[in-house]
Amino acid sequence: MSLQGPIATHRMRTGIPTGRLAVWWGLASEIFIFGGLIMCFLLFKFNNAPGFEDADMTSTAAGAFNTFVLLTSSLSIVLAHAAAEKGDIQASFRYIWFTIGGGLVFLLVKTYEYSSKIYGGITLTENVFWSFYFTATGLHALHVIGGMVIMGMISFDVRKNHNLQRVELIGLYWHFVDIVWIFLFPILYIANF
Amino acid sequence: MSEAHAHPNYIKIWFWLLILLAISVAGPMLEIPWVTVVTAFGIAAVKTFMVAAKFMHLQFEKKIIWYLLIICVTFLGVFYFGVAADIMNSSGQQWKDCIADNTCIEQRL
């Protein structure tokens, strides 16, 4: 395996390979992006801004199904990492593409939700709740698309037995995307508290 | 590649995550506010911990990553409570609460 090749795998000042440390730094910046959005949502919510009762109009079934899909894709990408560590590159390749498939299913459900809302006359400017809904879920969907593209690129390297450490790195990113959804799901779909 | 450590039973963790998902969906159906908060947000926190610790291998990670994440979450708290003092206060003079009367968006259009 080409585990010792790239500098990202063996140069380390902190005891953590540089590539993985860089991903954690990237995720730290993402915490502020999504965390800031969620904090703003809560500020509006606790200030009794009108429109938040519209949370009843989102489809809990669609949101729960998408949570199931992302949790399952998180499982498959961590299994891809475990397979890569064992040197089973075929299994790793398959798990990566299973994960990409999960991302695709997620986006299809999201497209259905978006189109049903937009055709029903609900858009970004409807009220504060829908502004937040479209902004947060749209930004999250962009992250899903980005992750799928990167996974696709990595998968072909994996099949050639190159840069297997990248499976772990994209896995970290994908799990973070999953965690963001874990928080978006209750505030947008189920907890009209 | 990650340092050598035993991989946990990922299928088992995924199974528990699905059970927690089912509880978080069922809890708010009781329509009891505190049950909703606990099942929706408490379980979201537990699921986050499980994904981070087990799938992201945070439990095996160096302390510096823990410090990094704790600092991020702390600053989010500073942001929230720093801004909340102003946002939540609509009393006093020269105040126009465009959130309450839903005119914020119209003002920007």
Side-chain angles (χ1 to χ4, degrees), chain A residues 167-184:
Chain A
V167 180
E168 180 184 26
L169 305 187
I170 189 61
L172 284 175
Y173 172 86
W174 194 256
H175 298 312
F176 177 79
V177 170
D178 184 17
I179 286 174
V180 170
W181 185 256
I182 284 173
F183 280 101
L184 291 183

Side-chain angles (χ1 to χ4, degrees), chain A residues 26-97:
Chain A
L27 297 184
S29 67
E30 296 276 3
I31 288 175
F32 287 108
I33 294 171
F34 285 104
L37 264 173
I38 291 171
M39 290 297 143
C40 289
F41 177 92
L42 293 176
L43 282 167
F44 279 105
K45 171 76 181 169
F46 293 141
N47 204 28
N48 297 318
F52 280 76
E53 62 279 2
D54 286 2
D56 285 339
M57 294 167 66
T58 54
S59 168
T60 305
F65 179 72
N66 262 351
T67 310
F68 165 76
V69 169
L70 278 190
L71 288 174
T72 306
S73 68
S74 260
L75 170 69
S76 59
I77 197 65
V78 80
L79 290 176
H81 168 216
E85 276 199 341
K86 286 179 195 160
D88 188 350
I89 56 172
Q90 287 305 324
S92 184
F93 181 82
R94 279 196 303 273
Y95 281 129
I96 290 172
W97 276 94

